[in-house]
Amino acid sequence: MIFVTVGTHEQPFNRLVECIDHLKKDGEIQEDVVIQIGYSTYEPKYCKWQKLFLYQEMQKLVEEARIVITHGGPSSFIMPLQIGKTPVVVPRRHEFNEHVNDHQVAFSKAVAERMGTIIVVDDMDKLGTTIMNYDEIIGGMNRRLKSNNRLFNEKLRKIVDEMFEGKK
């Protein structure tokens, strides 16, 4: 399943919602697709959709999804990262009246460059190819973000092992 979220920003993100719906219609996407369309005015015809999901529902969809596609808002792509997924991030753009400026474009590109943890698609013509080659793309990524949970557990395990070393 592919899960798509456009977030809760009040401007529509029809460009992403329509693109995904057409990829599904044309058979470029074979699996089920669930889209959270927010304030978008385009209603998908070939994908399951809902305007908004409760946080718990969204988390479950992200966990179940093979691919998560988000807009460029950090709140939307942090959840998949926390769950261990590599999201495809499509930033909203000012020129299409999707946001007040292009901060999502700049921010998502900076995160991709510095951290290597997200896939940025700034050109809708490349979204289908990115979805088709997703597994290959993430397999070749140089992720530079180490899980804080894993790091914490490693340090805690070392402390506990040191505490009990002399007690054996």
Side-chain angles (χ1 to χ4, degrees):
M1 183 261 292
I2 295 175
F3 176 62
V4 181
T5 177
V6 302
T8 58
H9 181 71
E10 62 276 1
Q11 288 172 278
F13 198 1
N14 291 328
R15 188 169 57 103
L16 176 57
V17 176
E18 284 185 65
C19 181
I20 294 292
D21 201 39
H22 289 123
L23 290 171
K24 179 68 176 164
K25 173 190 168 206
D26 296 342
E28 290 187 55
I29 296 176
Q30 296 290 315
E31 56 203 294
D32 290 337
V33 178
V34 177
I35 308 175
Q36 177 266 316
I37 69 166
Y39 292 94
S40 300
T41 55
Y42 177 85
E43 294 182 355
K45 296 162 190 63
Y46 305 94
C47 303
K48 297 173 189 165
W49 64 275
Q50 191 167 307
K51 286 221 173 258
L52 299 168
F53 288 98
L54 295 173
Y55 180 83
Q56 294 81 0
E57 293 173 311
M58 192 115 140
Q59 189 170 20
K60 186 173 189 280
L61 288 163
V62 168
E63 288 171 356
E64 292 173 356
R66 182 177 75 84
I67 300 174
V68 177
I69 301 172
T70 78
H71 70 121
S75 294
S76 290
F77 67 74
I78 285 174
M79 181 192 292
L81 289 171
Q82 290 173 328
I83 293 174
K85 308 266 175 140
T86 302
V88 174
V89 177
V90 181
R92 292 171 174 263
R93 294 180 49 188
H94 180 258
E95 73 180 281
F96 300 114
N97 200 31
E98 297 163 348
H99 220 305
V100 297
N101 58 30
D102 282 333
H103 72 277
Q104 285 195 359
V105 175
F107 182 73
S108 59
K109 286 181 179 180
V111 170
E113 185 180 304
R114 291 181 190 154
M115 307 304 284
T117 54
I118 65 174
I119 301 164
V120 177
V121 176
D122 198 27
D123 179 352
M124 287 300 180
D125 291 337
K126 296 180 181 173
L127 186 55
T129 304
T130 301
I131 292 168
M132 285 191 301
N133 297 315
Y134 178 81
D135 293 328
E136 185 179 319
I137 292 168
I138 64 167
M141 289 176 70
N142 181 19
R143 296 182 193 106
R144 293 179 287 283
L145 184 65
K146 189 168 184 178
S147 166
N148 286 331
N149 290 342
R150 189 176 309 130
L151 184 61
F152 173 82
N153 288 336
E154 288 171 6
K155 287 183 177 182
L156 180 61
R157 183 178 300 115
K158 185 177 177 187
I159 291 168
V160 171
D161 287 347
E162 288 172 0
M163 284 175 51
F164 289 100
E165 248 177 31
K167 309 240 185 219
K168 292 181 184 179

